[in-house]
Amino acid sequence: MKSQEKSPSITTREFTKAGATAIAATPLGVPSVQAATAKAAITLPSLPFAPDQLEPTISAKTISFHYGKHHQAYVGTLNKLIAGTDYAGMDIVCIIRKAAAGGENQHAIFNNAAQAWNHTFYWNSLSPKGKTLKPCKKLLAAIERSFGSMDACLAALSQAALTQFGSGWAWLVLKDGKIAVRKTSNADTPIAHPGVTPLLTIDVWEHAYYLDWQNKRADYVKAVLENLVNWDFAAANFAAAQE
Ligand code: MN
């Protein structure tokens, strides 16, 4: 059963705290009014940095729109879409996987849930200390086994970010024991794909960079890779996947 699959990352566990306490079983599975109101809504997690700490790569103004408006809107829309449905009270990863398997009429739920999850994962993928952070020994060794070198890995991630046509995401992932690069379109997310564990992501929707870099996605991606990558987060996700 998909809801029992191992959480793919530490972030996932943070997301599921509310969901884990929200299950209110009732006889015959019929939700009572009390149970329905007890079901926790999906919440917008706090940012792991102050809004101006990613400057000059990502400005506080971008954060105010990207987190305060876009991310907030995905969370708010998701809660409206799932209210009173079988999805209410589920944790967000379960919502994403159920909606991904649910066909066309579940697309709105999938898109908003996946975007809510992807954005929290993105914020955690960024650190004001990124310039000095490095992959831990084990992750570096895995990167070198998979790509030949750290530089080749970064070049592949950059290439994915630049060649994603239109809106989407570039990811460093773990797949079949190897570190790999993926790109996904629009809201699509590795956690909807069995066997793929995300380690890091870069948002390449225009709303992620347009205020600061206008159309220059390549400059945004280069600056993120040089200054903001949270390798501690990637290492934690990598370690969690080995458990
Ligand atoms: Mn975004």
Side-chain angles (χ1 to χ4, degrees), residues 66 70-71 74 115 119 122-123 168-169 203-205 207-208:
H66 196 179
H70 292 278
H71 192 178
Y74 294 127
Q115 282 295 82
H119 279 88
Y122 170 61
W123 305 129
W169 301 82
D203 188 343
V204 295
W205 285 57
H207 66 220

Side-chain angles (χ1 to χ4, degrees), residues 68-175:
K69 305 290 184 193
H70 292 278
H71 192 178
Q72 173 72 74
Y74 294 127
V75 171
T77 303
L78 176 62
N79 281 320
K80 282 183 195 150
L81 289 170
I82 65 175
T85 74
D86 290 349
Y87 290 95
M90 289 173 70
D91 75 68
I92 194 162
V93 172
C94 293
I95 292 172
I96 291 167
R97 290 176 175 164
K98 180 176 163 68
E104 207 164 308
N105 63 345
Q106 313 290 298
H107 279 180
I109 290 175
F110 176 82
N111 286 336
N112 284 280
Q115 282 295 82
W117 191 92
N118 287 348
H119 279 88
T120 302
F121 197 84
Y122 170 61
W123 305 129
N124 282 289
S125 295
L126 303 174
S127 167
K129 294 183 286 185
K131 211 167 194 166
T132 54
L133 293 176
K134 299 274 179 267
C136 67
K137 264 188 188 174
K138 278 187 178 173
L139 177 56
L140 181 61
I143 285 171
E144 289 174 346
R145 275 198 304 278
S146 302
F147 291 92
S149 70
M150 186 67 195
D151 283 349
C153 172
L154 293 174
L157 186 55
S158 172
Q159 179 72 2
L162 301 189
T163 56
Q164 168 54 38
F165 185 78
S167 297
W169 301 82
W171 304 83
L172 197 65
V173 303
L174 182 65
K175 170 99 168 58

